[in-house]
Amino acid sequence: MELHSKDLLSLVCIILLLPALCTSQDGFTYSRATYYGSPDCYGSPKGACGFGEYGRTVNDGSVTGVCGLWKNGSGCGACYQVRCKIPDYCDDDGAYVVVTDFGVGDNTDFVMSPRAYSRLGRNPDASAKLFKCGVVDVEYRRVPCRYSYNILVKVHEHSRNPHYLAIVVLYVGGTTDITAVELWREDCQEWRPMRRVFGVVFDYENPPRAQINLRFQVNGQADWVPLKRPLPSTWEAGAAYETDIQFD
């Protein structure tokens, strides 16, 4: 029921935002943004993408929830440049944010962490005024994510070797969306789909008891990208494993 409800909310948000979704000549799309409460101004480790602590601190805590850009969870991890449109208050470059959550605001595309929202302002006084506004007009565009790491596959804490495997995909660079994940079954000699549980959490019941080979489908294309390093047969819940791949 949870995924079905989010799909419906996404549809509602898209309909509400249709009048505002006009693209400017420099590639920006017009919308609105607000922020959510946070005791330390960072993101939430309970975000709907399933990132956990990574979702709280990635990009120095400049993170956001999205509505129409959610894409049934494949929008998780995407990076955007967001600029507000109030003269004399707004920074020319705006905020660079990473999607870590699903969020619905007042006809908004972005529900940002306080840390991210403050970066819309050109100085602390201007940022304080934006916080008083609550919701501001913005323009945004998708930009490449840039990390000094290769993609990591983290084994979700709920996994139990060898009976149940769930993974979270971290540090996806470029403008790449992970739309599907498959797992190789040596006994069947075929790739089997992993289930998208929510966000970027994928799982598989009774996985192979040997090392685990995975591959990604990116941006809905027909081609698949195999991981250069399989997960070891001794994989552990909570551990993160190097893939030796990254997208530009």
Side-chain angles (χ1 to χ4, degrees), residues 19-224:
L21 293 182
C22 302
T23 303
S24 62
Q25 292 182 350
D26 52 3
F28 284 86
T29 298
Y30 297 111
S31 185
R32 281 150 58 89
T34 187
Y35 64 94
Y36 58 83
S38 169
D40 56 8
C41 295
Y42 282 81
S44 169
K46 298 181 180 179
C49 288
F51 285 137
E53 185 64 18
Y54 169 92
R56 190 181 78 85
T57 59
V58 67
N59 193 37
D60 195 29
S62 286
V63 297
T64 186
V66 294
C67 180
L69 300 170
W70 174 251
K71 305 181 202 175
N72 198 31
S74 65
C76 290
C79 296
Y80 292 91
Q81 180 186 5
V82 183
R83 306 188 303 200
C84 65
K85 301 297 292 177
I86 303 176
D88 301 326
Y89 287 178
C90 299
D91 184 81
D92 290 340
D93 293 325
Y96 169 86
V97 296
V98 179
V99 175
T100 59
D101 204 351
F102 180 88
V104 180
D106 180 12
N107 290 352
T108 61
D109 263 322
F110 297 91
V111 182
M112 305 166 74
S113 69
R115 199 170 184 85
Y117 195 81
S118 68
R119 291 177 175 170
L120 295 175
R122 61 173 52 192
N123 56 49
D125 288 341
S127 295
K129 291 182 174 66
L130 295 179
F131 275 107
K132 290 181 180 179
C133 293
V135 179
V136 294
D137 292 330
V138 298
E139 58 182 11
Y140 71 89
R141 64 181 175 183
R142 179 85 181 263
V143 295
C145 297
R146 303 294 185 193
Y147 297 114
S148 56
Y149 308 95
N150 289 327
I151 295 172
L152 295 180
V153 171
K154 180 184 176 183
V155 178
H156 196 277
E157 287 79 1
H158 291 168
S159 299
R160 295 293 181 267
N161 193 345
H163 304 294
Y164 174 73
L165 172 65
I167 64 168
V168 187
V169 186
L170 308 178
Y171 296 113
V172 178
T175 55
T176 302
D177 297 329
I178 303 296
T179 52
V181 180
E182 289 187 340
L183 174 152
W184 175 252
R185 291 298 305 243
E186 185 68 26
D187 52 347
C188 303
Q189 289 292 294
E190 67 179 6
W191 290 97
R192 293 285 184 85
M194 298 186 75
R195 179 183 66 139
R196 185 189 291 274
V197 186
F198 61 91
V200 288
V201 179
F202 298 84
D203 73 354
Y204 195 91
E205 297 279 355
N206 299 313
R209 300 198 176 194
Q211 66 181 16
I212 296 177
N213 290 287
L214 301 172
R215 67 179 186 176
F216 297 152
Q217 184 184 47
V218 297
N219 298 338
Q221 298 177 2
D223 293 337
W224 291 79

